Amino acid sequence: MKATIERAVLLKSLGHVQSVVERRNTIPILSNVLIEADATGQLKLMATDLDLQVVETIAARVETPGTTTVSAHTLFEIARKLPEGAEVSLAAAEGKMQIKAGRSNFNLPTLPRDDFPVIAEGDLPTSFELPVAELIQIIDKTRFAISTEETRYYLNGIFFHVAEDATGPVLKAAATDGHRLARYTVTRPDGATGMPDVIVPRKCVAEIRKLLDEAEGNVEISLSASKIRFQLGNAVLTSKLIDGTFPDYSRVIPTANDKLLKVDPKSLFQGVDRVSTIASEKTRAVKVGLDKDRITLSVTSPENGTAAEEVAAVYDSEAMEIGFNARYLSDILGQVDGDTVELHLADANAPTLIRESEKSPALYVLMPMRV
């Protein structure tokens, strides 16, 4: 195999594929990126961790078509350190890959491509498109609530399902860790009818989100009950789905919370951020006192002292106090784009519903804490 490619193109593409590769691997080939040069002047780069695979196709000058695999992180670091504007020559033969650029010359060991595992997609019967901007919103508004608890593996991703709403057919994305829930609703795209309920794993969500930053137009999504494929630009990401049942989260969304608090999300976010400076690392609890048209945020820590701050708000129900985890509350407030956020409360022990307005596609539920 022999091909020449611009450093910037190679670096960008390697950046996409190498982040899939785990730093520590018991199987050596999984540390490698598969490089395939074909006669049409294309270079295909592919990396996998057995659950997730990314393939990207880029233009190159191919002298000798062929395929090899080489250390993904090493090749990425070499490309990163080469001077801007350099032309990189890749030549593989007899278990070695020679990389030349300007006065630099590297020889890396390779592994045969036959050992490289490829995820078998099988049949992907459901296929639809989403605008890049919409998929970014779906991911950003929900992924912070994904659980990191490995024992509850079925919560380690974003749950996608189709449903019928008052507005018509919709696609919903939800994530929860048991303490908070985030849900985002969009109009059901053409082709998503009859789609199976799927849980997209956390790592797949993170990798697709990186690719979306540089994408335009639409993302083509194809899926079955066990696999999902995203096609955007010249990259294709394929992932296994989490094999589990996501809990019926609609049961925890409160419908009868009668106390309504309206507040500027930025003011509340900054207030919570300031008073939580002294909160103990373990609990991070902040007490929220509600009175007519004002909120009193307070934190008491045996080691660090006390803090309090008042925030102007619109509230005319009976006075009450409720405790929240400061980080969980801040995570939700940080996702609200408008000037007003609504908190629908019941009492100090009941979950609180948080949203921008009734028509807002994003909805959050936060469990209270004892403080």
Side-chain angles (χ1 to χ4, degrees):
M1 181 200 108
K2 193 169 185 195
T4 308
I5 182 168
E6 280 179 46
R7 171 204 175 252
V9 177
L10 179 65
L11 181 64
K12 184 176 168 185
S13 188
L14 279 171
H16 295 162
V17 297
Q18 66 98 29
S19 61
V20 172
V21 176
E22 294 289 342
R23 286 277 172 192
R24 293 184 191 83
N25 270 310
T26 46
I27 309 167
I29 193 93
L30 293 183
S31 300
N32 283 12
V33 56
L34 178 103
I35 302 174
E36 188 177 315
D38 68 20
T40 61
Q42 287 190 319
L43 207 60
K44 190 162 99 179
L45 303 177
M46 178 170 165
T48 183
D49 68 358
L50 295 181
D51 292 321
L52 177 68
Q53 104 186 352
V54 175
V55 183
E56 187 150 342
T57 311
I58 48 178
R61 291 202 306 280
V62 178
E63 288 172 50
T64 316
T67 311
T68 188
T69 82
V70 67
S71 167
H73 293 310
T74 310
L75 186 57
F76 174 72
E77 285 300 316
I78 290 170
R80 190 173 67 81
K81 291 174 181 178
L82 287 173
E84 274 184 42
E87 289 275 308
V88 185
S89 152
L90 307 173
E94 294 162 11
K96 288 264 184 289
M97 178 188 254
Q98 187 178 43
I99 303 157
K100 283 185 180 173
R103 296 179 181 179
S104 306
N105 190 349
F106 300 86
N107 279 294
L108 305 184
T110 61
L111 287 171
R113 66 101 20 112
D114 301 343
D115 301 342
F116 196 86
V118 176
I119 293 179
E121 288 178 3
D123 194 24
L124 302 174
T126 304
S127 189
F128 57 92
E129 288 191 351
L130 280 177
V132 165
E134 193 164 63
L135 188 53
I136 287 175
Q137 283 289 322
I138 291 171
I139 292 174
D140 286 354
K141 302 292 185 208
T142 54
R143 74 164 168 174
F144 67 89
I146 296 175
S147 172
T148 53
E149 245 181 276
E150 298 302 330
T151 48
R152 302 167 78 185
Y153 63 93
Y154 49 86
L155 298 182
N156 294 163
I158 297 179
F159 176 57
F160 285 87
H161 67 115
V162 290
E164 293 290 333
D165 245 9
T167 55
V170 291
L171 171 66
K172 294 185 178 189
T176 182
D177 59 6
H179 304 290
R180 61 235 171 115
L181 165 80
R183 189 193 75 193
Y184 196 83
T185 307
V186 297
T187 307
R188 184 162 75 206
D190 295 341
T193 315
M195 166 186 136
D197 295 356
V198 295
I199 308 169
V200 180
R202 187 172 60 234
K203 184 172 176 183
C204 173
V205 170
E207 292 304 325
I208 196 73
R209 182 63 186 83
K210 285 180 204 164
L211 292 171
L212 286 169
D213 275 336
E214 294 168 14
E216 289 170 355
N218 287 345
V219 182
E220 195 178 313
I221 301 169
S222 309
L223 57 91
S224 65
S226 61
K227 305 269 182 359
I228 189 163
R229 183 179 71 209
F230 297 89
Q231 274 179 284
L232 56 168
N234 49 11
V236 180
L237 184 145
T238 309
S239 173
K240 292 179 183 171
L241 294 165
I242 293 175
D243 181 14
T245 306
F246 201 81
D248 178 10
Y249 66 85
S250 60
R251 293 211 313 265
V252 303
I253 299 175
T255 51
N257 285 8
D258 54 350
K259 300 179 179 67
L260 174 60
L261 165 72
K262 288 187 177 181
V263 62
D264 171 24
K266 291 181 189 61
S267 305
L268 186 55
F269 178 91
Q270 288 161 358
V272 169
D273 188 36
R274 279 190 285 268
V275 296
S276 66
T277 311
I278 67 154
S280 68
E281 273 306 307
K282 200 163 141 236
T283 59
R284 298 194 62 82
V286 58
K287 188 191 281 184
V288 180
L290 301 177
D291 219 328
K292 178 149 178 64
D293 291 347
R294 72 162 189 228
I295 306 170
T296 308
L297 303 170
S298 59
V299 171
T300 306
S301 155
E303 309 93 66
N304 302 335
T306 62
E309 178 167 334
E310 276 192 14
V311 179
V314 178
Y315 181 77
D316 61 2
S317 301
E318 65 195 76
M320 66 174 281
E321 285 188 342
I322 187 168
F324 291 117
N325 176 306
R327 188 168 66 81
Y328 294 167
L329 182 56
S330 297
D331 281 347
I332 292 172
L333 293 171
Q335 294 305 329
V336 179
D337 303 320
D339 297 332
T340 311
V341 63
E342 295 180 355
L343 283 81
H344 297 257
L345 305 114
D347 57 55
N349 302 313
T352 294
L353 176 76
I354 303 174
R355 64 187 181 196
E356 232 172 288
S357 70
E358 210 176 334
K359 293 189 170 61
S360 158
L363 172 146
Y364 306 100
V365 178
L366 182 57
M367 297 301 285
M369 276 180 85
R370 284 199 183 89
V371 285

